[in-house]
Amino acid sequence: MILSVEGIQKSYGKEKVLHGVSIRIHQPEIVALVGPNGSGKSTLLGIVTNLISPDHGKVKILNRTNKDPEIFRYVSFMQDNSVLYDYLTGYDHLQFIGDVQGISKGQILSAAERVGMESYLHKKVGKYSLGMKQHLLLTMAIVNEPKLLILDEPLNGLDPTSAIRVRKLLLELNREGTAIILSSHNLSEIDRVTSHILFLKNGQLIEEDLSLHEKVAYELTVQEPEKVIGVLSAAGIEAEHEKENQLIVSLGDASLSQLFKQLSTHEVKVLNIEKKVIGSEERYQMIFGKKEEIL
């Protein structure tokens, strides 16, 4: 067992943030933690890493209590850049970790190269951009080659090129045997690395394998959408009126050619068609409502 979280409860004053949350990760995989701001994601991650004490419940990592300091030789938690010191260089931060955990200079340089920050490794952090700070935080998190890697918004402030590189790195680390918990509001990036999602709502987890929900649908723009819904329904093709002249069409067992044949037979003019994949963003909206709540 890589991670066992059992019955975690946490309140701040009269506000109950977590209501008996449980998580189990048995093998190296990437798991996404998703929820609106204020839903308790950071509190939960803080409890897992023993930075916050729960009111009730327990956490075990690699079958040992998370209160055992030795366990953090095998666990890393990437937090926000408030943990960085402007007057130190990136290398100074990494060397401190190396001194504490007995990590060689070669291992430090290798981690920096994997993230892509070797060119500014010896600059003071006060001169870093937000993206450079994110690179340093990630390098600090992977330098000890952890068995469990916990990341809180790792893509924050990254340009598209850096985001792609980080995504590839996470997939590489996972293939190498690292379990990863990824908290992020970037749902499109989550879909690229995992289908295992933990939605945190009202202090409770809704655990889903999105591969069970994932399906391809088509967004059609047509005239007289209500008429078209009836035409498709008669052919066993599911269609929903989304907005104005747009329909969401799920083919089921039908093919795309059968769809167009049915539309052509009834002289339906398709003004536009776009392919849609139902993923974490759509499931988020189904669970939480407005997408804006995640920001």
Side-chain angles (χ1 to χ4, degrees):
M1 181 77 71
I2 295 174
L3 175 66
S4 173
V5 176
E6 297 290 343
I8 294 297
Q9 298 181 32
K10 182 65 179 178
S11 297
Y12 294 106
K14 294 182 179 180
E15 182 183 1
K16 198 160 188 177
V17 178
L18 300 175
H19 303 259
V21 170
S22 296
I23 306 169
R24 290 187 177 181
I25 299 178
H26 296 273
Q27 60 188 6
E29 61 176 315
I30 301 176
V31 179
L33 179 62
V34 175
N37 282 345
S39 61
K41 300 189 302 295
S42 295
T43 295
L44 178 56
L45 296 181
I47 289 172
V48 168
T49 52
N50 197 34
L51 295 175
I52 300 173
S53 296
D55 299 332
H56 299 283
K58 58 184 179 180
V59 178
K60 286 190 174 182
I61 299 173
L62 301 174
N63 298 314
R64 297 161 69 176
T65 175
N66 70 332
K67 298 185 184 302
D68 182 351
E70 283 297 309
I71 204 66
F72 290 96
R73 293 185 179 274
Y74 312 100
V75 181
S76 286
F77 180 26
M78 177 182 165
Q79 298 173 270
D80 62 37
N81 59 41
S82 64
V83 302
L84 301 178
Y85 295 90
D86 286 349
Y87 57 87
L88 297 178
T89 67
Y91 185 82
D92 290 334
H93 287 78
L94 294 165
Q95 187 177 40
F96 176 77
I97 297 172
D99 290 343
V100 171
Q101 297 202 14
I103 296 169
S104 69
K105 180 178 179 180
Q107 194 170 326
I108 290 173
L109 296 177
S110 176
E113 184 177 358
R114 291 191 78 172
V115 175
M117 63 165 296
E118 60 269 39
S119 64
Y120 48 88
L121 185 59
H122 296 284
K123 290 184 179 180
K124 289 187 177 181
V125 170
K127 301 291 186 181
Y128 280 19
S129 66
L130 178 58
M132 293 161 72
K133 289 179 179 179
Q134 287 296 105
H135 286 164
L136 174 57
L137 290 166
L138 182 57
T139 306
M140 290 165 63
I142 71 169
V143 70
N144 64 333
E145 300 177 355
K147 296 293 183 184
L148 175 63
L149 177 60
I150 301 173
L151 306 171
D152 195 357
E153 297 294 350
L155 302 176
N156 185 34
L158 297 185
D159 59 51
T161 300
S162 294
I164 291 170
R165 181 166 188 160
V166 168
R167 185 206 317 148
K168 290 180 177 179
L169 174 58
L170 296 184
L171 292 170
E172 285 176 9
L173 291 169
N174 182 236
R175 285 193 295 268
E176 292 166 7
T178 299
I180 299 171
I181 298 178
L182 169 65
S183 173
S184 177
H185 65 257
N186 192 325
L187 300 179
S188 62
E189 286 296 333
I190 284 175
D191 284 340
R192 295 172 184 269
V193 296
T194 185
S195 62
H196 188 174
I197 312 290
L198 302 175
F199 292 103
L200 188 57
K201 181 180 182 182
N202 297 328
Q204 297 181 319
L205 284 179
I206 302 170
E207 185 169 2
E208 296 201 0
D209 180 353
L210 290 190
S211 65
L212 302 178
H213 297 280
E214 190 173 278
K215 61 181 180 179
V216 174
Y218 292 89
E219 184 180 83
L220 266 62
T221 303
V222 295
Q223 295 174 344
E224 300 183 87
E226 296 299 335
K227 171 191 170 182
V228 176
I229 289 175
V231 166
L232 296 179
S233 178
I237 298 175
E238 180 183 341
E240 295 180 12
H241 193 175
E242 186 177 45
K243 59 183 179 181
E244 298 178 353
N245 291 335
Q246 292 179 340
L247 302 177
I248 297 296
V249 177
S250 300
L251 295 179
D253 294 329
S255 66
L256 195 58
S257 61
Q258 288 173 309
L259 169 66
F260 279 108
K261 182 178 180 181
Q262 186 71 8
L263 295 173
S264 177
T265 299
H266 291 81
E267 298 181 345
V268 174
K269 184 177 181 180
V270 178
L271 304 177
N272 189 46
I273 182 170
E274 291 185 18
K275 184 177 180 180
K276 293 175 68 70
V277 177
I278 307 301
S280 61
E281 182 172 318
E282 287 73 18
R283 288 299 294 166
Y284 182 92
Q285 292 184 55
M286 292 175 192
I287 292 170
F288 295 100
K290 293 181 181 179
K291 177 187 172 187
E292 287 76 15
E293 291 180 0
I294 198 170
L295 301 176

